[in-house]
Amino acid sequence: MRHFLADDDLTPAEQAQVLALAAELKHAPYDAKPLAGPRTVAMIFDKQTLRTQSSFAAGIAELGGFPMLVDGSLAGIGVRESVHDVARVLGRQASMIVWRTYAQARLEEMAEHSGVPVVNALTDDFHPCQLLADLLTVQEHKQQLAGLTVAFVGDGACNMGNSWLLAGATAGMHVRISSPDGYAPAQEMVDRAAAIAATTGGSAALEADPVAAVTGADVVVTDTWISMGKEDEAAARAAVFAPYSLTTALFEHAKPDAIAMHCLPAYRGKEIDAEVLDGPQSVVWDEAENRRHAQKAILTFLMEEATS
């Protein structure tokens, strides 16, 4: 049974296949109906959500399926019932499970016992559906992925930093993560990305200096400094991360035709200047739309794998 729990669950060839399918589905959003029946897809949300819930619900419906919303706070997964038991129940009610939760281990346990494909809609460790959308967006604007340089500035230890390392390396990109001391991705994650990059012609590197990281980059990415569950660290993080803000001045070190990315929600004047987020080189709204198309592609891929 194939699942999509982390970015490197797809080989380079499979990632390219899914992105190509996403482009096709974006061009003709109502033509493919692999979930006709309709087949039910259970969507579980333990964390706050806007883009994830709306894009999955719309995408599942466009594929001919039924998006069944499971309120994580009411289900009490891991509290009221074990993950193991919930997996066995939902696996008999739905053809696939999409879960936005906290610990990666919970998602892996769901996949182990569900009997149906499970998709990571965000965990503390990874955000692979966002990365598929991001790569689709880069591909649309740059007509390629392999060989491009992407600089991620900010909290490199967050799920987006980890996912950019793995997904970018899988795509053959040169990924630079620039973070304050103590906020870099785990060395294990860098090594994992480097091993992939060795097979794709890409690279994965840490660069403490944000100017050096951004200089010559084709793509510059940032994310909120205050991830869900870390709101009490807001003041301390604001001081630490201030030099890593994606300001107009920092963005000018990238290539003249570089694009700026942010997975949202964004806090203008903190991790990114309003002039960058709302400027002509920003592609954040394309990213937000492309969540739907990319997720439709991974759902279709997993359904085909499950029925082949």
Side-chain angles (χ1 to χ4, degrees), residues 14-29 32 62-63 129 131-137 139-140 289-301:
E14 289 171 340
Q15 183 194 73
Q17 176 186 344
V18 170
L19 292 174
L21 178 58
E24 292 176 14
L25 294 172
K26 182 173 183 177
H27 178 70
E62 288 178 4
L63 292 175
C129 288
L131 259 292
L132 287 178
D134 286 2
L135 293 178
L136 177 62
T137 305
Q139 195 164 259
E140 288 175 341
E289 176 190 344
N290 282 342
R291 286 289 299 276
R292 182 168 96 255
H293 311 302
Q295 288 160 185
K296 287 173 67 176
I298 192 63
L299 291 174
T300 300
F301 174 83

Side-chain angles (χ1 to χ4, degrees), residues 41-84:
V41 178
M43 306 187 307
I44 313 169
F45 299 103
D46 296 337
K47 289 189 172 189
Q48 292 173 307
T49 179
L50 169 64
R51 280 155 297 280
T52 299
Q53 180 174 338
S54 61
S55 59
F56 265 112
I60 291 164
E62 288 178 4
L63 292 175
F66 171 70
M68 179 175 69
L69 178 61
V70 178
D71 187 324
S73 62
L74 293 178
I77 302 172
V79 178
R80 180 170 174 266
E81 293 188 69
S82 67
V83 175
H84 173 277

